[in-house]
Amino acid sequence: MSEPIAFDMTTAVAAPPVPPGAWRRLFKRPLAVIGLTIIVVAVLGAALAPWIAPFDPNEQFFDGLSLEGAPLPPNATYWLGTDLLGRDLLSRILYGARTSLVIGIVANGAALLIGTLVGVTAGYFKGFIGGVLMRFTDLMMAFPALLLAICLAAILSPSLWIVALVIALVNWVQVARVIYTETSALSEREFIAAERTLGASGPRILFRHILPHLLSTVIVWGTLGISTTVLLEATLSYLGVGVQPPMASWGNIIFENQTYFQAAPWLVFFPGIAILLLALAFNLVGDALRDVLDPTERGRD
Amino acid sequence: QDAPKAGGAITITYKDDVATLDPAIGYDWQNWSMIKSLFDALMDYEPGTTNLKPDLAESYEISPDGKVFTFKLRDGVKFHNGRAMTAEDVKYTLDRVTNPETQSPGAGFFGSIAGYEDMASGKVKSLSGVTVPDPKTVRIELSRPDATFLHVMALNFAHIVPKEEVEKYGADFGKHPVGTGAFKLAEWTLGQRLVFEKNADYWNKGVPFLDQITFEIGQEPIVALLRLQKGEVDIPGDGIPPAKFQEVMKDPEQKARVVEGGQLHTGYITMNVKMAPFDDVKVRQAVNMAINKDRIVQIINGRAVPANQPLPPSMPGYVKNLEGYKYDPEAAKKLLAEAGHADGFETELFVMNTDPQPRIAQAIQQDLAAIGIKASIRSLAQANVIEAGGMENGAAMIWSGGMGWIADFPDPSNFYGPILGCAGAVQGGWNWSWYCNEALDKRAAEADAIVDPAKAEERFAAWGAIYSDIMKDAPWVPVFNEQRFTMKSARMVGADNLFVDPVHIPINYDFVSVNDVQ
Amino acid sequence: MPGPDGAGTAPVLSVSNLTVTVGGTAHPRAVVSGLSFDLRRGETLCLAGESGSGKSITSLAIMGLLPKPATRLASGTIRLGDTELTALPERALRKIRGDRIAMIFQEPMTSLNPVLSVGRQLTETILNHRDVSAREAERMAVEALDAVRIPRAGERMKSFPHEMSGGQRQRVMIAMALALRPDVLIADEPTTALDVTVQAQVLDLLRDLQKDFGTAVLLITHDMGVVAEMGNRVVVMRHGRKVEEGETKAFFQAQQTPYAHELLAAVPRIGSGPGRQAVRAFEKPLALEVNGLEVRYPGKGGVLWGKGMPVHAVKGVSFNIASGETLSLVGESGCGKSTTARALVGLAPYSGDVVLGGRNLGGRDAAGTKQAKRDLAMVFQDPYASLDPRMTAGDLVREPLDIHGIGTKSERRERVVELFERVGLSPDAPGRYPHEFSGGQRQRLAIARALALRPKVIVADESVSALDVSVQARVLDLLRTLQSEFGIAYLFISHDMAVVENISDRVAVMFDGRILETASRDQLFSNPRHPYTQRLIEAVPVPDPTRQRERRTLVPVLAAQGAAPLVEVEPGHWVATVH
Amino acid sequence: MALYLLRRLVQAALILLGVSVITFALLYLLPADPVRQIAGRSATVQTVENIRRQLGLDQPFLVQYGRYLLNLLQGDLGRSYLQRSEVAELIVARLPATLLLMAAGILCELVIGIAMGLWAAVRRGTPTDRALMVSSFVGVSAPQFVVGLLLLYVFGVRLGWLPISGYGTAAHLVLPALTLGLLGAGWYARMVRSSMIDVLRQDYIRTARAKGLKGSTVLFRHALPNAILPIVAMIGIDIGIFMSGVVVVESVFGWPGIGQLAWQAIQRVDIPIIMGVTLVSALAIVLGNLLADLIAPFIDPRIKLR
Ligand SMILES: Nc1ncnc2c1ncn2[C@@H]1O[C@H](COP(=O)(O)OP(=O)(O)OP(=O)(O)O)[C@@H](O)[C@H]1O
Ligand SMILES: Nc1ncnc2c1ncn2[C@@H]1O[C@H](COP(=O)(O)OP(=O)(O)OP(=O)(O)O)[C@@H](O)[C@H]1O
Ligand SMILES: [Mg+2]
Ligand SMILES: [Mg+2]
């Protein structure tokens, strides 16, 4: 064979701009910044509640109820109105953020983590491990979560962390199911076969090659999970697991007052908005993150 | 008001399912009055009142020592299956309800009948105290004088059932009730609806007025109210939901259709006298003084009146001029300090988890906090609260709301035995304050031995004194007596007291009628 | 030679001043710049040029299917007859696509919908543009599959893409494009994945189409043989620009630019390869020994009940490769070449023995597995599908080193840079993702990956077929260099006889899951014994337009053969007995 | 294949067994005494003990469970403690309503969710996409009770188009199914959107477009089937959610489903009902998941059942 022909591709194609770090790119997206801001505000609101809340969240003000015992709509004293016991709603929402953030972020995050791990493992390692894991998932799914919650409530003394635990234990199952299905499809793809021929270990394939493809699903479940877990917490509290009155959480404010939503809409509306904003904020950040990490999105301005 | 017209059909809704219509078993508040319309007992109350009157019995006689009751049965009473009722049916009914195999929650009411003990222990299959001298006569012998016995004979559990039908359906009798009542069951679609049809053969001619009653179940009270407003429903069985109460009361048109009445109910806080620091009467008194009952009544939109004693005002024996403990946090604090709890203490307050109970508990919690008592709330399902209350060291304080005492029959004794007497202060009992005062137990027995109807006032006074003395020991904080608010459709007519009948809850089906029939 | 029917008439497709950029508006980089050409009725215009020169992008631009958001049509006009395509709304474009302009895409695996059966994908196009009954459409589809020589076309309608060989998928793509007899056919490397026999038929088919319907064909290929055989005119591209344009005959006789000259010079020709001495199996230790390899794919049936007949893809194949030796596996599309390769690397369950460096892989233990994988690398037939789309090229190439813990971090990085250089990828390539490369560039990426570990045996499945001749030459050189340096043994799967002749020591000819003939390269090419082999060699297109058109013998499909035993006809030359 | 099915069915039976053991054990440990619920507040201690003995609740756990299992194998779910009727009868009476609501609810979710998801994926990054995102989050974050009541108020009371509540005709089904659909659609919408975005940039979509197919054909025939796999898994999950009860929606619309039965039973420790409902819903869930697994290879032929 004669002289190789020159390969001066360098001259042909100018090197693309150095891809800036993922975080920097993230901060360049206005929607992501909005999302991050909301999250920071929520976290700060929860952390600084004792200093910024206008009132004690549990104090039942005499002038917080009308003479007939009706709660007050938003007014100059009680900015977001009062609840059925004459307590300041704004203060309760601020304090309630503490509970709800723990649930929405920690418990939901834990569920997401467990579910993803189980689903990915089961989906990839079919065979025995996969079978056992998925049947265990089926078992957990078939098992009435509410019952578990009630039993725990009655056996243990209720606390926020118990409810977080219960939610994590209950919610991972669904994530696992969905991730499992996607993983089983992914693991039939040719590039996974290629990885195997290279001798890549199972964990490597799982975490380096399959997980990144599941990112969008994980983000969807993670962000939607925030709303559902925060609301689930209220149900569990109602059954006696988790925070007990008068401690506030966004979920239980809604739950306590939902029958009054016509008479006192603010009692449902404001905590509802809080939950919505939190979930949306995480979704904005998640979507942006996914776009930033997704190579095919390069070039989208 | 015009004379009630016969005919027409009404619709009533309930949220919870109807468990059973077996009079020996049904003990829920929605099936309580349904059973009363399907079955009859020897005794009953005059509609809308608490006045006893003979019903299937034409007359009765009480022996001078108060231990033998002889009932003469009415003629022409037929079961829905067409068979005439006889004294044997009465005996069968009483044997059945006291037979442990029936698992009747009301068996205990018949404890004063001679031979009950042998029945309860399963030794015999028939009450020796109940005999049938002839087909029209039932003779019931008691082992001790019991002034409440006529009330007992008016209880659902004493409603007469036909033996052949019970045996035919066995355990499913509750789904196929056959009685002598004004209505008979026409349809029962599980989980959806029950339809009662007028019993044309009813012995009390002219009654009932309605041709048909439909009970729809599984209906949220708020939605039931909406349907009432739309004219689809005549009586929302669960009442006016708290969330809608003010809206209804502010609208004159709707308010006009609300009937208010008393209820044989008391809402109270129990303090477990076996658990420190509630073993100290001063602490209990202090708690009594700490609770702002007016505020609590305000929280539930004024649907109750503040209480100061166990008995509700409409109950005979209620002490009108009892002073009780006035709301006085300062005095309460002082009393606490005297008891050695100047800095207060920590405790738990159990409460059932349906609205508005947790809210009331929070109001109580705040009142307690004002005198230094830090009560943490345990809001649980009814069954769990009951379980905790029945354990000696299970629950320091319980707010009784939702599980509270609604009298089975309008007699003061009904508020004592299981919930304040020594008999209830046992493992698994209902005396959640574990208060046991032997002396009072004795006085209670004495009061109930006054069987002579002429001495009723004396007996009521005795009971009044008993409850006044209990309040000195303050095992409870009586908080309020709930008022009943029944809302009806515009077409429903009948005396107001039929709609807040103290015995038939929510309404007395047999005597109400509608005005839009020809 | 037949001149184009409509030569001299107005062009059906006319591209002028086309510029396509990538990298968004902020940092645009032209991958096609100022390109103009005309395509006339009944004409075949060949678009040639090195890998990555912008051929595929050009064709996508014509279809209005430039990948968004990465690429952008910056300027230029594309006219189909009187219609300006760049300005056309999507609705109108839709009517044109598939009907008046059809396209055959370069990567057949990823270009077919994995969840739809082949039949459905075919009939749908027909139904979309023609007012025919479903049955009629189906008949037309089967006809189209027959036309591209898919055996048992009727049954194959129910197959899913992953159940077909690379060449079969490519033929499905072609069938799809041809089914409606479009005015303009854009074919992006349509025959790269096809063995010469099928290639010849497909090219014939294109020619017929042109004759009968006056279809204009824009043929993108790097195969100068195909250009010589098919093209009326040639456009040579480089770095996104047109460097030369001319009549095919004239082009092959004299090139105007040095680049075109180099391009033609680099074309491997049968008989021109460097003389190589066959390495005899007994002279060097055996790197890989395969004995009685059989592979069956589970048949399709109702998902719930029963089983279809399993596909017996490989029916007892035996061969061996000494270290430092190159064995080429040739044979028509779908004969089981890829399946053999997949079985070797453990991706298809097989029976028989595969012995790698003295260890039987059939019963490998956990520790053996990893070593075996290090020693045996595979380059997949469809590079795009085999690269994780979420990893950068650099990470992809470095990954084998990471997996086996070879070298320090910086050593790995150096190795990666070196590999990129050796396969001829630009220095910015490591930071890019697979979808940002051209077909040929991806293939080089896959090769670099396989080379990273310096394995003892490399199974290369059609690894240079998508490369333009210049890069092909370079890669083949690289493979050879590495072979002499490290004694790597190659199992080289290819349909390109010229390349095979160029690189192999020995050649095995496969047909229908069996080996028909094995011999040293010289023996095989100079003295093919099996009639099938003879026809295979005859069918190779020659990069000389004058010589091409005479030699047109179709290879008939061989009747299915029983398991004929191989007989040694001369030392090292084994042939299946012909019945 | 048949073997796979057989294996999965055996596993399903084991799962049901597991569910029954765990549930039974939890109920056994639950600090609430069903006997006291039966006996009522006037019962004497003796009555309580009598009932306990009759129901065999004084026996050790294993004996109780063994007996339950034995009955179960004979198809006997026992009698409710409080309703005093056959649990099987109670469940069977409510099962049709639950299944109907489940089917309609899932259909609503799918239709609304997939439509929203597709639209958002196609209009990715536009205000439409964002609006759809917000709406799906509103759906997911909204309390069922409020949404149900609002719909009921608007369509039932104000407009009077649909019956306010009840069960029987198709008109009765609309509002509850719609409520569930609106609430659940958010999940589907987000999932569909995210998988569609992945799918829409695949080469085979380019092929489909090159064939000149209509946008909707490309979307529904080529893209959607590739994106639908996780959705199938979600339907399996939804079956679980629907079976274990959509109590709130059921009670708002007076829908005689299993949820209300279960909820009341849980509140009052009616063990036989709780066990029965749990087992029936477990069965549905297990079968639903099995079905999802069986369907997967139809949707993506590359998936093999193992
Ligand atoms: N999405 C993209 N983003 C960035 N660069 C791209 C993208 N797609 C293609 N390119 C670059 O554009 C150039 C032209 O690519 P094209 O696919 O047209 O090459 P080609 O001529 O078809 O080569 P081959 O023969 O290898 O297929 C290549 O350098 C490639 O790396
Ligand atoms: N997963 C599968 N299921 C069923 N049949 C399959 C599957 N994969 C391949 N086949 C069939 O097995 C046969 C051999 O395929 P293989 O991919 O080995 O061919 P090949 O020789 O590599 O052809 P090409 O040169 O076209 O790539 C073909 O007929 C193909 O249709
Ligand atoms: Mg290309
Ligand atoms: Mg192949």
Side-chain angles (χ1 to χ4, degrees), chain C residues 65 90 94 97-98 105 110-115 120-121 124-125 128-129 160 162 176 303-304 384 390, chain D residues 1-2 198 201 203-204 206-207 209-215 221-222 225-226 298-302 305:
Chain C
L65 291 174
E90 182 69 22
R94 212 188 290 142
R97 283 188 205 135
F105 290 97
T110 48
S111 295
L112 288 175
N113 196 328
V115 308
R120 176 126 176 235
Q121 297 190 51
E124 155 187 83
T125 325
N128 188 48
H129 292 288
F160 288 94
H162 73 279
M176 221 146 74
V303 169
L304 281 185
Y384 195 12
R390 299 240 171 179
Chain D
M1 181 59 236
D198 278 339
R201 57 171 173 241
D203 281 356
Y204 50 80
R206 188 180 64 190
T207 309
R209 294 179 60 208
K211 292 198 277 187
L213 299 180
K214 273 198 308 244
R221 290 265 215 81
H222 286 259
N226 279 285
F298 279 104
I299 293 173
D300 188 337
R302 288 169 297 185
L305 294 177

Side-chain angles (χ1 to χ4, degrees), chain B residues 258-277:
Chain B
V258 175
V259 183
E260 182 178 353
Q263 193 169 204
L264 298 176
H265 163 272
T266 303
Y268 51 89
I269 306 165
T270 63
M271 289 167 280
N272 191 327
V273 300
K274 299 232 166 136
M275 286 172 82

Side-chain angles (χ1 to χ4, degrees), chain D residues 128-149:
Chain D
T128 315
D129 180 20
R130 297 214 180 93
L132 286 169
M133 173 183 75
V134 174
S135 0
S136 50
F137 273 90
V138 170
V140 172
S141 315
Q144 287 187 7
F145 184 87
V146 174
V147 174
L149 216 54

Side-chain angles (χ1 to χ4, degrees), chain B residues 10-295:
Chain B
I10 62 168
T11 303
I12 297 173
T13 65
Y14 283 110
K15 177 159 170 49
D16 283 349
D17 208 349
V18 174
T20 174
L21 290 175
D22 185 340
I25 291 165
Y27 203 9
D28 297 328
W29 76 289
Q30 70 274 59
N31 62 15
W32 190 252
S33 53
M34 292 184 190
I35 290 173
K36 283 187 179 302
S37 287
L38 293 174
F39 297 88
D40 291 314
L42 298 182
M43 300 297 294
D44 195 4
Y45 302 89
E46 276 162 27
T49 71
T50 54
N51 307 329
L52 268 172
K53 67 162 176 85
D55 198 41
L56 291 185
E58 207 169 38
S59 62
Y60 57 87
E61 261 171 44
I62 310 175
S63 67
D65 63 352
K67 281 176 136 184
V68 181
F69 287 71
T70 311
F71 296 92
K72 276 263 174 260
L73 300 189
R74 190 181 293 278
D75 275 328
V77 177
K78 280 188 190 154
F79 285 113
H80 298 154
N81 64 5
R83 180 173 71 76
M85 186 204 70
T86 70
E88 282 301 333
D89 291 309
V90 179
K91 172 151 177 66
Y92 173 75
T93 300
L94 293 176
D95 285 347
R96 174 171 183 260
V97 75
T98 50
N99 187 339
E101 272 164 34
T102 311
Q103 297 177 14
S104 169
F109 288 112
F110 303 91
S112 57
I113 299 181
Y116 174 81
E117 301 303 326
D118 289 342
M119 260 322 253
S121 56
K123 271 191 227 141
V124 295
K125 290 272 166 264
S126 173
L127 285 166
S128 60
V130 183
T131 48
V132 181
D134 65 75
K136 287 274 160 249
T137 312
V138 183
R139 185 174 175 279
I140 301 176
E141 193 179 327
L142 305 187
S143 53
R144 56 181 146 88
D146 183 359
T148 65
F149 189 70
L150 286 177
H151 285 296
V152 169
M153 292 314 287
L155 276 176
N156 276 8
F157 305 108
H159 280 45
I160 312 301
V161 296
K163 182 177 183 186
E164 70 276 16
E165 298 289 338
V166 173
E167 279 169 357
K168 178 164 145 203
Y169 292 109
D172 284 332
F173 180 68
K175 291 272 182 302
H176 304 273
V178 176
T180 60
F183 289 95
K184 52 187 179 189
L185 180 68
E187 178 201 334
W188 188 341
T189 312
L190 281 182
Q192 292 181 44
R193 109 178 57 78
L194 291 91
V195 179
F196 283 8
E197 222 172 55
K198 178 175 181 163
N199 176 10
D201 267 353
Y202 192 47
W203 57 266
N204 189 358
K205 293 297 166 210
V207 178
F209 301 113
L210 294 168
D211 284 342
Q212 188 179 308
I213 308 175
T214 305
F215 300 93
E216 293 191 2
I217 47 196
Q219 188 87 76
E220 193 65 38
I222 282 205
V223 181
L225 189 77
L226 282 175
R227 295 185 60 200
L228 173 77
Q229 288 164 351
K230 261 199 101 187
E232 292 179 11
V233 162
D234 296 290
I235 304 279
D238 299 297
I240 307 168
K244 290 280 184 182
F245 185 70
Q246 288 195 318
E247 183 192 313
V248 168
M249 296 311 267
K250 274 184 190 148
D251 174 4
E253 195 273 323
Q254 294 191 61
K255 190 176 180 207
R257 289 190 277 115
V258 175
V259 183
E260 182 178 353
Q263 193 169 204
L264 298 176
H265 163 272
T266 303
Y268 51 89
I269 306 165
T270 63
M271 289 167 280
N272 191 327
V273 300
K274 299 232 166 136
M275 286 172 82
F278 296 112
D279 51 356
D280 185 339
V281 65
K282 284 189 178 138
V283 173
R284 302 198 297 265
Q285 287 170 339
V287 171
N288 260 291
M289 288 188 268
I291 305 301
N292 185 348
K293 298 168 187 170
D294 292 322
R295 168 80 177 178

Side-chain angles (χ1 to χ4, degrees), chain B residues 246-517:
Chain B
Q246 288 195 318
E247 183 192 313
V248 168
M249 296 311 267
K250 274 184 190 148
D251 174 4
E253 195 273 323
Q254 294 191 61
K255 190 176 180 207
R257 289 190 277 115
V258 175
V259 183
E260 182 178 353
Q263 193 169 204
L264 298 176
H265 163 272
T266 303
Y268 51 89
I269 306 165
T270 63
M271 289 167 280
N272 191 327
V273 300
K274 299 232 166 136
M275 286 172 82
F278 296 112
D279 51 356
D280 185 339
V281 65
K282 284 189 178 138
V283 173
R284 302 198 297 265
Q285 287 170 339
V287 171
N288 260 291
M289 288 188 268
I291 305 301
N292 185 348
K293 298 168 187 170
D294 292 322
R295 168 80 177 178
I296 294 175
V297 167
Q298 182 196 12
I299 285 171
I300 58 170
N301 307 114
R303 297 218 266 180
V305 290
N308 64 5
Q309 55 188 300
L311 290 184
S314 43
M315 184 73 98
Y318 178 79
V319 188
K320 284 208 175 56
N321 47 12
L322 187 77
E323 241 188 73
Y325 299 93
K326 288 260 153 13
Y327 172 56
D328 187 350
E330 286 314 311
K333 255 193 211 154
K334 222 179 287 161
L335 215 52
L336 262 193
E338 277 173 36
H341 298 285
D343 299 329
F345 55 86
E346 288 185 13
T347 185
E348 278 185 333
L349 174 62
F350 282 70
V351 58
M352 182 184 152
N353 56 10
T354 45
D355 189 65
Q357 313 313 338
R359 263 196 292 146
I360 294 172
Q362 290 177 65
I364 295 169
Q365 182 185 42
Q366 164 149 310
D367 290 340
L368 293 176
I371 64 165
I373 301 175
K374 280 197 234 13
S376 52
I377 292 177
R378 299 283 311 266
S379 155
L380 298 169
Q382 179 178 1
N384 302 99
V385 180
I386 292 174
E387 184 74 13
M391 288 194 296
E392 190 164 337
N393 284 308
M397 298 177 91
I398 298 176
W399 161 244
S400 74
M403 307 158 290
W405 206 254
I406 299 178
D408 302 297
F409 51 83
D411 187 89
S413 67
N414 196 228
F415 268 78
Y416 183 79
I419 49 176
L420 281 166
C422 293
V426 290
Q427 172 82 24
W430 285 73
N431 185 343
W432 297 337
S433 57
W434 292 79
Y435 173 76
C436 172
N437 186 335
E438 310 268 345
L440 287 181
D441 256 23
K442 224 170 114 222
R443 278 166 60 190
E446 282 163 14
D448 275 358
I450 308 175
V451 289
D452 184 353
K455 291 190 184 158
E457 284 311 318
E458 181 189 327
R459 179 169 167 268
F460 294 151
W463 272 113
I466 291 172
Y467 289 111
S468 307
D469 288 347
I470 287 174
M471 279 321 290
K472 287 189 187 130
D473 282 339
W476 284 10
V477 183
V479 179
F480 55 63
N481 306 111
E482 232 166 60
Q483 290 288 95
R484 266 171 60 199
F485 291 83
T486 306
M487 197 170 172
K488 54 177 183 167
S489 64
R491 60 199 278 260
M492 292 213 62
V493 287
D496 270 0
N497 61 3
L498 292 176
F499 290 94
V500 287
D501 192 301
V503 187
H504 294 253
I505 297 169
I507 61 167
N508 192 325
Y509 305 125
D510 301 3
F511 292 90
V512 294
S513 59
V514 291
N515 61 10
D516 56 355
V517 283

Side-chain angles (χ1 to χ4, degrees), chain C residues 367-503:
Chain C
T369 310
K370 201 157 178 186
Q371 187 59 40
K373 303 223 150 149
R374 189 176 161 175
D375 289 345
L376 180 60
M378 164 138 178
V379 184
F380 285 80
Q381 185 168 6
D382 197 331
Y384 195 12
S386 72
L387 297 172
D388 184 343
R390 299 240 171 179
M391 287 189 107
T392 60
D395 288 344
L396 282 167
V397 174
R398 203 188 56 231
E399 181 159 43
L401 301 174
D402 292 345
I403 291 173
H404 293 277
I406 294 166
T408 63
K409 246 190 167 155
S410 60
E411 279 168 14
R412 288 179 205 168
R413 203 172 312 124
E414 276 166 34
R415 180 85 148 272
V416 170
V417 171
E418 183 201 322
L419 282 165
F420 270 90
E421 204 178 275
R422 289 190 107 162
V423 297
L425 285 173
S426 63
D428 75 311
R432 285 153 69 184
Y433 289 90
H435 73 278
E436 294 173 325
F437 289 95
S438 78
Q441 289 165 341
R442 283 178 207 141
Q443 195 137 48
R444 279 178 269 168
L445 213 53
I447 293 171
R449 245 185 143 198
L451 291 176
L453 287 176
R454 305 222 171 101
K456 295 210 174 76
V457 180
I458 291 183
V459 179
D461 194 353
E462 306 280 10
S463 292
V464 294
S465 45
L467 302 184
D468 64 292
V469 283
S470 47
V471 179
Q472 198 177 59
R474 171 144 182 167
V475 168
L476 290 179
D477 251 6
L478 170 67
L479 294 179
R480 253 194 303 268
T481 317
L482 290 172
Q483 186 168 52
S484 53
E485 262 177 59
F486 304 105
I488 301 177
Y490 293 115
L491 176 63
F492 200 83
I493 297 174
S494 181
H495 63 268
D496 187 332
M497 295 308 269
V499 169
V500 167
E501 204 225 358
N502 196 308
I503 193 166

